[in-house]
């Protein structure tokens, strides 16, 4: 199910491929968790 949604976003041109989506998701998560990481 998740891969289908990712593939749809790629097909619609939001991302170049699955890897682009995954890299963007990881970057966004790291930014969101930056405070917790810096406190560790």
């Amino acid at each position: 199910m998740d891969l289908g949604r990712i593939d749809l976003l790629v097909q619609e041109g939001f991302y170049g491929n699955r890897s682009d989506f995954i890299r963007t998701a990881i970057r966004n998560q790291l930014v969101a968790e930056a405070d917790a990481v810096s406190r560790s």
Side-chain angles (χ1 to χ4, degrees), residues 3-14:
L3 287 179
R5 292 168 60 187
I6 293 169
D7 288 342
L8 181 60
L9 291 169
V10 170
Q11 184 178 13
E12 293 294 321
F14 290 98

Side-chain angles (χ1 to χ4, degrees), residues 30 33-40:
L30 290 173
E33 301 294 333
D35 287 338
V37 171
S38 66
R39 287 185 296 221
S40 300

Side-chain angles (χ1 to χ4, degrees), residues 15-31:
Y15 300 95
N17 53 44
R18 285 181 182 174
S19 295
D20 289 342
F21 173 86
I22 293 167
R23 276 191 291 274
T24 300
I26 290 170
R27 273 191 226 108
N28 290 342
Q29 191 64 36
L30 290 173
V31 167

